[in-house]
Each structure stands twice: as structure tokens, then as C-alpha cells.
Amino acid sequence: MVHHSASIQSFKQQKGMHTSISEILKEKSLKPSRRSLPCLAQSRTHPQNLNHILSVPLNPENSSKPRSASPSCTDISHHTDGGKDLYAEESEAGAYDSRADQSLLIKKHVTRARLEARTESLQENNPAAPSGLLFRDGKKRIDYILVYKKSSPQVEKRCTFERNLRAEGLMLEKEPSLTNNDIMFVKIHAPWDTLCKYAEQMNIRMPFRKKCYFTDWKSKAMGRFQLRWRQLKSWLPRNPMKLDKEALPDLEETDCYTAPFSRARMHHFTINNRETFFSNSTRSRIVHHVLQRTKYEDRKSKMGISRLLGNGTYEAAFPPHEGGYKSRHPIKTHGAQNHRHLLYERWARWGMWYKYQPLDLIRRYFGEKIGLYFAWLGWYTGMLIPAALVGLFVFLYGLFTMDSSQVSKEICEANTTIMCPMCENCSSWILSDSCVYAKVTHLFDNSGTVFFAIFMAIWATVFLEFWKRRRAELTYDWDLIDWEEEEEELRPQFEAKYSRVERVNPISGKPEPFQPFTDKLGRLMVSVSGIFFMMSLVVTAVFAVVVFRLFAMEKFVSFKWEFVKKNWQFATSGTGVCINFVIIMSLNVVYEKVAYLLTNLEHPRTESEWENSFALKMFFFQFVNLNSSTFYIAFFLGRFAGRPGKYNKIFDTWRLEECHPSGCLIDLCLQMGVIMVLKQIWNNFMELGYPLLQNWWSRRKMKKGGQMESKVILPQWDKDWNLQPMNAHGLVDEYLEMVLQFGFTTIFVAAFPLAPLLALLNNIIEIRLDAYKFVTQWRRPMPARATDIGIWHGVLEWIGVLAVITNAFVIAITSDYIPRFVYAFKYGPCVNQTYGNVCLTGYMNSSLSVFDMGDQKNGHPRYCRYRDYRAPPWSAQPYEFTLQFWHVLAARLAFIIVFEHLVFGIKSFIAYLIPDMPKGLSERVRREKYLMQEMMYEAELEHLQKERKKNGKRYHHEWP
């Protein structure tokens, strides 16, 4: 005892001036009740009326042993005899030797008799047990579902795999489908011992002590102020966007310290109930971990459920939903039936469109990876609110100043200005005929355009920097600060391709297949060649749209309907945009298949490398496809058309399209608006409408085929099997849609200030669409962990840089801001005076050049005007560029340089000022690490003291 006290004293001396946790809490010793305080992570994981269903206390005296499993791989057929359910086991088609091949089994120190013993009683008439959530005994929870066809020839692999799963400690039970006679379900349950074993191997962090925030001096100092602030807030109106925490106990923050689980120190952790200690998502993740590492043949590479799904041994593998998402009783009076019902009522319903998302509940049900996606989507949507308001203000400013614009007035009053024909079959026209066109252009091309472009460039930086802080808070709340991804397994395709060449893995120290550098470089070159080929396909599609616009322009000019003939420019642009949209959506289908082919050709080593490579290709393909025509209109339309008397033509037939005298910005705006609206409508239909139609059709086929009676209540595994599986690419498509929208919102925002508003409206719908899809239309995905949105953060930063460059060129080249600016300060009536609207008097006449059409015939005028800065025909050098042209060109180049350097400087300064992690959070993380060490030490000391009193023995060894 003396030696033990000395060791404790030496431990405290090593701590130096630090205060122990006992002194902090003003307690002499930690009482057992202190460590057994209920943790919110457990006590509030399940709704109240779920406790009697899924939370069965484990009593060693009364616990029933698991049902005996047959040593052979069997199918279970369902019969009815005298109102009782009898399960008869039948041998599978293609007689297979049922004797276990011990060489294929994974040798573990597990007692098979303990895992396969028969239960003492079955709770067949238990009304509290929901159909499809438990085994037939009504006690063991279903953690995972495997689906296979009885007619599948892969019987041997499946039987070996299932026997090895039992050897790993899992319990299996088979059940036939009620909707398809060829489908068999394998229900998997992970017992307590198996969960503990793999939780320790996977370093899953579990709660062991309630957090003590009152020990922080800042909390003490701010306690009184926070109390007063809460009293004041109670008198203020309640925020309607917040969810009601009384109806959502799961939204309470987890308030416990966590540590990697260890069976040797199990007494440290707060285990009130073994059935609820590991959450459903954690249980599913542990079972998935076992499924991925269990062999089905006697080879080191022949393992994992992914390979069995690929070769057709199993049809599907998924964790089950926690029951139905609808109830006959209102949730306010009867509470939630399960987490899925809770998510539907408080998240996925359309009536919740204005509410904050229950991120903690989403994370607990779907995992951290999907939770981070919805957190990022919600953050992005919230940050769009100020951008949408500023964009709407800029649009309204253009709307209110539309009639008072000097340029619009001059165009509308130019009744005697004759303009040159804009196409081969066109005739001369009067400038005042384009009055409406000029006013609409002013909506998007006004003095607020530059301000909004700078604002959106800064907004993109602020959005990304504050998202880093938000992500840090989420990773802290979700206990992901110290989490590191485990070493990923190799992809089966990689192993099959490079199994002959091996090298030692520097991390695991085990030999693994190796891809030579020359082979990798050759495949990468082929992939890059495929990417450039697809780019050439995009250029060809854009060229086809340009030719179509030229052809349509001549047809609309000669149209019999006077309204179309008068507004042939709007008709040409609108038709071209619609055709371009059809081409874009058609090429997207091709791009997905090409990206999939090229990614598989590269043979990535792991699944994460495959996903990153595929995501980059999909983003690159769709970004080029979506924005190529927009770049053409912004920077090439009307730039190479030539001048009257010397026009450039395609195939010596069609004259290149010109910009309107008011500029090409209205064409760019129309292109962005139509494509953005149509693409959002199409994506929303494909995300929700298509799964709804598929699920409806599958239910109709089952009823029509007579495979299911109308009054039969399907178990949960049958319901989940009839749902649509989650996209094979995971969250790639979800992120890709939002990232492309982010690019559309920022890259050409100077030409379309309403883009943030349209994006905001779409995202409000998108959140509920995705929520409804995940909760009701898709099978439950495997809960996966992640600490960030992955490669998409780098893509967003790249888009932010491109947006600054593009907006600088749009303002300088596409809009008329620079020509008006040069005229006002160099050639206008207000030279060397204060800039104002009057200073633009005569600007329209200054920006039009004169062309000599030859002798007057049939009363037609000899001279016409066109948009350019060229000398008149009677000058010494006719049709040469004037000095004003070079002044405008120099001003445009200077504006691009100044704008880019200014905005990039502001972006860098803001990024420097905003730290990635809040200072208070950083201090809290460091403080909690220190307190955890203290508490772990005192908990171990207390445990040793209890053991000494219990056994009456003295411990003379030091605590490690």
C-alpha cells in the first residue's frame, strides 16, 4: 500500500502545477454515482416510446441464448400450419457439401456453442416488437441485411462466407421474401462481445464521463451574463426557424467525454444499457467492418462483401431502416415511433422548409459523411441569403433607373439614326426600334455591376473560410477531432490486375499488389487523351449551336409573324439556349459513362482514390459542357464578326452574329437564366420524381403479379429491398450538382445578379428533396465517418479564383462599363468635372461608326451606322481604328489588372484574418484532453481501490 501511494504521489509530481480533477470539482474523491451519470449520447439516442422496443436490459440471469444455426448453408421457407409460423430448413439448389471446410474458416477464439445455442423461448406474440427490426425471438436486433437469389450459382462462396461470419462472432438468421419467391434475406446481429471486440479494434470513441464546463474560468465569468441573457431572450419572440427541442430530445448536444473503447477498461465507460450503448449506426458500421474483412475463399484477396456483390453472390447489402416513416398518430401527442419517423416529421416534410436542420439526428442515423454533406448544404444555403439580397438590390437598382438611363434615352430617341443590316437578308433599321432591348440591358449592365462582382468574390472567400470554422465545430461536437481514417483495403480490380507484382506497404508492413510507374503513366496518358477528346466534342457541340443560331437568325428575320420578325434577336437567342440545354443534358449522360470508363482504366488503388478521380473527371466534363457556350457568348460573340463591307463568314455562307448596339450582356444573361432554371427543374425531377416513379412501378408489378396480398404487412427488410439503392457513386452526384451551381452563381455573376437568388430558392427545395429521398425513397446507406467534404473543398477554392478572373473580363470586355467610363472622363461634356449621368450625353453617337452603302436607290439612305470605333469613309484612312478605340482597349486591360489584384488582395487578407478553428474551441479541445487524462487516472485508481476492498488483497504494482 505504501508503494502504491508513492506511485500516486510521483504521478502527481510529474503533473507539476496542474490541479487534479478532484480539486477542480471540489470533491475529495470521485463517487461511483459520478461516473454513472447518464450521458445524453445514450439516454437521448432513442425516442421515449422506443425504449421498450429496442432497449432491452441485459440480465445475465434471464438472458436467453441465441437460436441454433444449421451448420449447412440453407434457405428457410415460410409455411403456415394451424395459425402458427413454422420454419422448415431446405437444402439449396445444387447440392453442396454441408460439412465445414476448416481450412477456409477464420480461426478465432470464439465458442461456437455459445454463438449458435438455441433460445429458450420465442416472443412470437410480443406486440411491442415491430416487424422487421428484430430476430424471430423478438430480442436480438437486426444490424445488417444481406440479400441473395436462390437461383444464384455462387452457393459455395456464399456458404463459406456465412460460416466465417458466424466464426467471427456474428449471428445469422434467414428469411424468405414475401414479394419474390427467388429472394432470400440474411439477417445479421452483432452480440455484445462481438461489438466490444471490434469497437476496440476500430478505436471507436465511446462516452465515459459527463463534461464539466463549469470548471472553465471563462464559463464562471460569463455565467451571470448568460443567465441574464437567457432571461431576456425568454421575453423575446421565439425564433421560428429553430426546432422545438421538447419534441426533439435527440437534438441535445452530446455532453460526455469520449475515449477509444477498451475491454480492459470497460469500467471507465458509462454503460447504463448494453443494448443502447452502441448506437444503431455504430453497430451497422461494426458489422460492415466485419463483412469487408471476412473471407469467402482460401486466398488472401478473396474477402469482403464488396467482391461478393460484384460477382453476383449477393444482390444487396444494407443496414435496415428503423421502421416506417409515417404514423397514424400525431407526433406531438404520441411521440416518434423511431428515428426515421422523427426525421421525416421534423426534417423531410415540406412544411419544415424554413426550419434549421437537425444535424445531430441526421448524423446519428446516416453517419458523419452524410451529416457533413447536409451541414455544408445548409451552410451554403444560409450564406446565399446575403448574396441574394445584394443581387436583388442591384437588379432593382437597374429596374428603377432604367427609364432615367442616358444611354437608354438616346437609343429610344434616335428616330433618325439608320443602322446597317445585321444579317445577309436583313434590311436597314432604325436605332429606336431597339428601345426595349436597351432598357432590358440596363437591368444587368449598370453602375452596380462592378460592386456586385467585387462583393461576390469576397463572399466566396468568406463562405469557404467560415465553413472551415463551422466544420471544426461539427468535428468537435461529433467527436471527430482525433479520428483518423484507417488504412483502406485495395480495390478488387486493382488486386486482380497487379497480383503478380508485390511490394511491402510502408504503413501496414504487409506485402500487397503494386502498380509499376510505367504502367501507371501509360494509363494516365490514355485517360488524359480521353479527356481532351471529350473537350473536342464539347467544342464541336458549341460550334453546332453557333451555326444553328446563324441559320435561325435568317429564318426569324424573314418570318411572316410580325412580332417574331420584329424581335428576331430574342427569338434567336432563346431558341439557341434551349437547343444548347438539350445538348448539355445529352452529353452529360455520355460524360458519366466516359468518366466511369476512364477511371476504371486507371485502376485506382483504393475506393477513395477511385471516388476522387471519378469526381474530378465528372466535374471537369460537366463544367466544360455547362459553361463552354457561356464563355463563347461572353468573350467571342460579336468580337470577330468584322465590319460592314468586310464581314467574316462561316463556310462562306453564314455571316457571324453581331452584338446589339447595347452590348452582348443581355445574351449572356438570357443564356445563364434559361440554363440555370431548366437545369434545376430537371435535376429536381431526376432526384425525386424518378425514384418515386421507380418505387411506384415496382409496387405495381408486385400487386399485378400476385406475389403479395393487399392486406399483408411487409417486414422492414422487404420494404427496404423494394426501395431504390443509394447512388453507386455515393455523394458525388449530390456534391457535383451543388458545386456546379456554385460556379454558375459566382463565375458570371456580373452578368446575372439574380443567380444567387435563384440558387437560394433552389437550395431551399433541394434540402427537402434530398431529405425526403434519403428518408423515404432510398435504402438506408451505410453510416460512414468523415471529417470534411473531401476533394470538393479544393474545387470550390479553384472556382473562387476563376470567378475573380472571369468577372474581371466580363466587366471589362462584355459589358459597356469601361467604354462609358472612358467617354465620360475623356470625350464627354463633363471632362475634368464630377462624374454624373449628364456626362454620358452623346455617348451612343460616339460609339457608332459610319459606313458608306453606295448610291441611293429607291429612297434608301447612303450612310448607315454600326457599333465600332472606326474612322468614317471620308477620312484619310477610312475604316481604321480611331484613338478612342485604343483608349478603351488600354482602359479595359488596366481594369482587369487592377480588379484582379485588388480582389485577390482582399481575399487573401480576409482568409488570413479568419482562423480555421475558433480560439475558444481550440482551448476547449486542449483543456478536455488534459481533463481526460486526469479522469482516466482517477477512475483507474478508484477501480483498483474497489478491487482491493472486494478481494481483501493488496496491489503493489504501479498503475501503468
Side-chain angles (χ1 to χ4, degrees):
M1 182 64 185
V2 175
H3 181 70
H4 185 64
S5 302
S7 64
I8 297 176
Q9 184 67 27
S10 63
F11 179 87
K12 290 189 176 182
Q13 289 177 358
Q14 292 175 3
K15 295 289 182 178
M17 299 301 296
H18 295 294
T19 308
S20 67
I21 188 63
S22 300
E23 296 173 353
I24 294 175
L25 299 178
K26 304 300 182 182
E27 296 180 2
K28 296 181 179 180
S29 63
L30 290 175
K31 299 179 181 180
S33 60
R34 184 73 183 172
R35 289 192 295 111
S36 61
L37 286 176
C39 177
L40 295 177
Q42 298 180 61
S43 62
R44 306 205 178 193
T45 299
H46 298 278
Q48 295 178 358
N49 54 354
L50 269 184
N51 293 334
H52 69 283
I53 297 176
L54 300 179
S55 304
V56 182
L58 186 61
N59 191 348
E61 289 83 3
N62 301 328
S63 60
S64 58
K65 297 182 180 180
R67 182 183 177 93
S68 176
S70 173
S72 62
C73 189
T74 59
D75 287 340
I76 303 172
S77 58
H78 181 256
H79 304 278
T80 303
D81 183 15
K84 296 183 180 180
D85 295 337
L86 301 177
Y87 295 85
E89 298 184 355
E90 300 176 354
S91 299
E92 294 197 19
Y96 173 67
D97 188 6
S98 61
R99 292 175 299 176
D101 188 355
Q102 298 299 328
S103 64
L104 300 181
L105 296 180
I106 302 196
K107 302 181 186 297
K108 297 288 183 181
H109 299 287
V110 180
T111 305
R112 294 292 302 272
R114 180 183 178 186
L115 298 177
E116 298 182 356
R118 183 176 299 275
T119 56
E120 296 179 359
S121 62
L122 299 178
Q123 299 179 352
E124 295 178 354
N125 299 322
N126 183 10
S131 176
L133 296 178
L134 305 173
F135 273 28
R136 294 189 216 110
D137 59 2
K139 294 181 179 180
K140 291 187 283 293
R141 181 187 307 174
I142 299 175
D143 298 318
Y144 224 86
I145 297 290
L146 302 181
V147 186
Y148 69 89
K149 289 184 178 180
K150 298 178 184 177
S151 59
S152 173
Q154 305 288 350
V155 178
E156 183 177 350
K157 295 179 181 178
R158 184 170 64 251
C159 294
T160 305
F161 183 70
E162 291 175 6
R163 286 198 304 272
N164 288 337
L165 288 179
R166 293 188 181 97
E168 286 289 336
L170 300 180
M171 296 183 181
L172 276 61
E173 187 177 72
K174 294 188 177 182
E175 198 80 33
S177 173
L178 299 181
T179 61
N180 192 332
N181 296 328
D182 192 34
I183 294 297
M184 183 68 71
F185 297 101
V186 181
K187 299 175 288 185
I188 301 178
H189 168 75
W192 170 256
D193 293 338
T194 305
L195 292 173
C196 293
K197 178 178 67 175
Y198 283 101
E200 184 176 10
Q201 291 182 11
M202 298 169 64
N203 288 324
I204 295 178
R205 302 180 67 88
M206 300 303 296
F208 71 91
R209 186 71 61 82
K210 192 175 179 63
K211 290 183 179 179
C212 310
Y213 290 117
F214 60 86
T215 59
D216 194 347
W217 67 270
K218 291 184 179 180
S219 299
K220 290 182 179 180
M222 298 296 291
R224 184 174 301 178
F225 173 77
Q226 291 179 352
L227 179 62
R228 300 301 182 190
W229 176 244
R230 289 176 183 175
Q231 292 177 351
L232 178 62
K233 287 177 63 177
S234 63
W235 293 93
L236 297 176
R238 183 175 173 271
N239 187 355
M241 300 178 66
K242 289 185 177 180
L243 291 164
D244 187 6
K245 289 190 176 182
E246 295 179 358
L248 289 175
D250 291 81
L251 294 184
E252 296 288 345
E253 295 181 359
T254 55
D255 203 22
C256 290
Y257 296 111
T258 60
F261 185 78
S262 172
R263 287 179 291 179
R265 298 180 179 179
M266 191 179 297
H267 52 276
H268 292 175
F269 299 92
T270 308
I271 307 177
N272 296 326
N273 191 328
R274 290 188 176 184
E275 294 295 323
T276 58
F277 181 66
F278 295 103
S279 64
N280 287 347
S281 60
T282 303
R283 297 173 68 98
S284 299
R285 191 155 54 90
I286 291 175
V287 174
H288 181 78
H289 176 87
V290 179
L291 292 175
Q292 289 286 48
R293 288 157 177 80
T294 301
K295 290 184 178 182
Y296 59 86
E297 284 187 13
D298 191 18
R299 296 180 187 176
K300 62 181 179 181
S301 62
K302 300 297 184 179
M303 67 171 62
I305 187 63
S306 299
R307 294 175 175 84
L308 293 176
L309 291 173
N311 59 29
T313 303
Y314 289 98
E315 298 296 318
F318 52 87
H321 279 295
E322 296 181 3
Y325 62 89
K326 286 187 178 181
S327 175
R328 294 176 296 176
H329 307 290
I331 190 174
K332 290 184 179 180
T333 57
H334 291 73
Q337 291 183 336
N338 50 68
H339 283 159
R340 190 186 184 194
H341 181 214
L342 195 62
L343 281 171
Y344 176 77
E345 291 290 339
R346 291 295 182 260
W347 180 47
R349 285 196 307 112
W350 294 106
M352 297 286 112
W353 67 270
Y354 62 95
K355 295 285 189 179
Y356 293 139
Q357 298 184 90
L359 294 178
D360 288 338
L361 188 59
I362 297 170
R363 166 244 180 173
R364 293 174 193 173
Y365 193 82
F366 293 108
E368 286 80 3
K369 191 172 184 179
I370 295 177
L372 275 174
Y373 163 72
F374 282 103
W376 175 82
L377 181 57
W379 182 259
Y380 171 45
T381 304
M383 289 292 292
L384 279 174
I385 295 177
L389 292 177
V390 176
L392 182 62
F393 172 78
V394 173
F395 176 79
L396 293 177
Y397 170 78
L399 181 64
F400 291 141
T401 59
M402 183 171 56
D403 295 330
S404 60
S405 172
Q406 183 64 30
V407 178
S408 300
K409 283 182 179 180
E410 291 186 0
I411 293 177
C412 294
E413 295 173 357
N415 298 322
T416 59
T417 303
I418 306 300
M419 301 299 296
C420 297
M422 298 189 68
C423 63
E424 293 295 330
N425 300 329
C426 301
S427 59
S428 302
W429 54 287
I430 302 175
L431 182 59
S432 60
D433 293 341
S434 62
C435 179
V436 177
Y437 203 98
K439 289 184 177 181
V440 174
T441 302
H442 182 75
L443 289 175
F444 308 98
D445 190 6
N446 51 64
S447 56
T449 303
V450 179
F451 162 74
F452 190 56
I454 297 176
F455 171 81
M456 287 302 297
I458 298 174
W459 172 87
T461 302
V462 172
F463 160 67
L464 292 176
E465 292 300 322
F466 275 97
W467 161 248
K468 293 178 183 178
R469 296 169 63 87
R470 176 60 175 159
R471 184 198 65 83
E473 294 174 356
L474 287 175
T475 52
Y476 168 76
D477 292 338
W478 293 352
D479 202 26
L480 296 171
I481 293 291
D482 296 327
W483 180 78
E484 295 182 1
E485 292 191 40
E486 57 187 5
E487 180 69 12
E488 287 190 84
E489 287 190 349
L490 302 180
R491 298 183 70 241
Q493 296 83 350
F494 183 85
E495 287 186 340
K497 182 68 177 177
Y498 302 103
S499 58
R500 297 181 180 180
V501 182
E502 290 186 348
R503 75 166 184 177
V504 178
N505 188 309
I507 298 177
S508 63
K510 299 178 181 179
E512 65 178 18
F514 171 69
Q515 182 181 16
F517 176 76
T518 55
D519 182 83
K520 185 175 183 179
L521 181 62
R523 293 181 179 275
L524 186 61
M525 293 300 295
V526 173
S527 180
V528 172
S529 301
I531 293 175
F532 278 106
F533 173 76
M534 298 307 298
M535 288 181 58
S536 63
L537 186 62
V538 173
V539 174
T540 304
V542 173
F543 180 76
V545 174
V546 171
V547 174
F548 171 81
R549 287 171 64 103
L550 299 178
F551 175 78
M553 178 176 61
E554 296 184 357
K555 294 298 181 182
F556 285 129
V557 168
S558 59
F559 211 73
K560 295 182 179 180
W561 192 8
E562 187 64 25
F563 177 78
V564 177
K565 186 176 181 179
K566 186 177 181 179
N567 299 279
W568 61 270
Q569 286 181 310
F570 280 109
T572 301
S573 299
T575 309
V577 170
C578 294
I579 297 296
N580 188 29
F581 174 75
V582 174
I583 295 176
I584 287 173
M585 302 311 296
S586 301
L587 288 178
N588 281 345
V589 179
V590 179
Y591 290 153
E592 183 174 355
K593 298 183 181 300
V594 173
Y596 192 83
L597 178 64
L598 293 178
T599 306
N600 287 333
L601 182 66
E602 295 175 4
H603 285 296
R605 179 176 172 272
T606 61
E607 289 294 336
S608 62
E609 292 180 6
W610 188 96
E611 184 175 336
N612 290 339
S613 178
F614 178 78
L616 278 179
K617 289 181 179 63
M618 285 294 295
F619 167 75
F620 185 76
F621 284 158
Q622 293 204 20
F623 180 82
V624 173
N625 184 35
L626 189 65
N627 294 281
S628 56
S629 57
T630 310
F631 272 92
Y632 165 76
I633 294 176
F635 305 124
F636 298 99
L637 180 62
R639 302 290 181 268
F640 308 99
R643 61 173 178 82
K646 194 179 180 180
Y647 284 112
N648 299 321
K649 296 183 179 181
I650 296 180
F651 306 130
D652 294 330
T653 304
W654 292 295
R655 202 177 92 187
L656 288 177
E657 192 175 356
E658 296 182 59
C659 287
H660 190 268
S662 300
C664 288
L665 202 65
I666 187 62
D667 295 288
L668 179 59
C669 177
L670 184 63
Q671 172 85 9
M672 292 185 59
V674 173
I675 289 183
M676 192 171 185
V677 172
L678 292 179
K679 190 174 185 300
Q680 290 176 350
I681 294 175
W682 175 258
N683 288 337
N684 291 336
F685 169 75
M686 292 302 295
E687 285 191 3
L688 182 63
Y690 187 64
L692 281 173
L693 290 176
Q694 283 184 317
N695 292 332
W696 171 82
W697 182 252
S698 62
R699 291 193 300 268
R700 184 177 181 274
K701 285 175 62 179
M702 287 188 299
K703 293 181 180 179
K704 189 176 181 180
Q707 298 177 350
M708 179 184 65
E709 298 180 4
S710 58
K711 296 183 179 180
V712 173
I713 299 177
L714 293 178
Q716 191 60 47
W717 54 77
D718 250 319
K719 294 179 181 178
D720 291 350
W721 166 246
N722 292 320
L723 295 178
Q724 297 299 313
M726 186 178 176
N727 196 307
H729 309 141
L731 294 172
V732 171
D733 291 344
E734 309 297 332
Y735 276 115
L736 179 62
E737 179 186 352
M738 291 295 102
V739 169
L740 290 174
Q741 183 204 83
F742 179 81
F744 232 65
T745 305
T746 55
I747 291 178
F748 291 102
V749 75
F752 191 49
L754 292 179
L757 179 61
L758 292 179
L760 173 62
L761 298 177
N762 174 80
N763 287 6
I764 293 175
I765 301 175
E766 179 74 21
I767 291 176
R768 305 304 155 181
L769 277 179
D770 286 345
Y772 186 83
K773 178 176 59 179
F774 272 91
V775 174
T776 68
Q777 300 303 309
W778 278 3
R779 298 172 192 162
R780 187 178 181 180
M782 213 292 293
R785 307 202 88 187
T787 57
D788 202 351
I789 61 176
I791 198 173
W792 299 107
H793 191 275
V795 173
L796 291 172
E797 290 183 337
W798 178 81
I799 290 177
V801 174
L802 181 63
V804 176
I805 301 173
T806 306
N807 282 302
F809 277 88
V810 167
I811 297 173
I813 296 177
T814 310
S815 73
D816 275 357
Y817 177 79
I818 299 300
R820 291 196 300 263
F821 185 83
V822 171
Y823 176 81
F825 286 94
K826 184 66 179 178
Y827 299 96
C830 301
V831 178
N832 299 326
Q833 296 181 14
T834 304
Y835 177 78
N837 198 30
V838 183
C839 298
L840 292 177
T841 303
Y843 166 75
M844 206 64 228
N845 184 63
S846 174
S847 63
L848 297 177
S849 300
V850 181
F851 176 70
D852 186 1
M853 293 189 296
D855 299 334
Q856 297 182 3
K857 295 180 180 179
N858 299 327
H860 292 287
R862 178 176 179 179
Y863 296 103
C864 66
R865 309 294 297 274
Y866 62 98
R867 177 74 183 271
D868 210 342
Y869 296 100
R870 293 182 181 270
W874 54 80
S875 65
Q877 295 179 340
Y879 306 120
E880 293 293 329
F881 289 117
T882 62
L883 184 61
Q884 187 175 358
F885 169 82
W886 299 109
H887 284 165
V888 171
L889 180 61
R892 283 174 169 168
L893 297 177
F895 176 83
I896 292 173
I897 295 174
V898 173
F899 181 88
E900 289 181 355
H901 283 73
L902 175 64
V903 175
F904 279 132
I906 296 176
K907 285 168 63 69
S908 302
F909 182 68
I910 292 176
Y912 172 77
L913 289 180
I914 302 176
D916 294 345
M917 179 180 289
K919 183 179 180 181
L921 179 61
S922 178
E923 293 177 352
R924 181 180 295 181
V925 170
R926 295 172 60 188
R927 171 102 178 137
E928 287 189 5
K929 287 183 178 180
Y930 166 74
L931 292 178
M932 278 198 308
Q933 293 177 356
E934 288 281 315
M935 284 186 286
M936 291 290 287
Y937 167 76
E938 295 195 4
E940 184 68 19
L941 175 61
E942 182 183 1
H943 177 67
L944 291 176
Q945 292 175 350
K946 285 184 177 181
E947 290 292 330
R948 186 195 62 183
K949 293 180 181 179
K950 181 179 178 180
N951 301 328
K953 297 180 180 179
R954 294 176 177 267
Y955 286 86
H956 299 287
H957 64 275
E958 295 185 4
W959 179 70

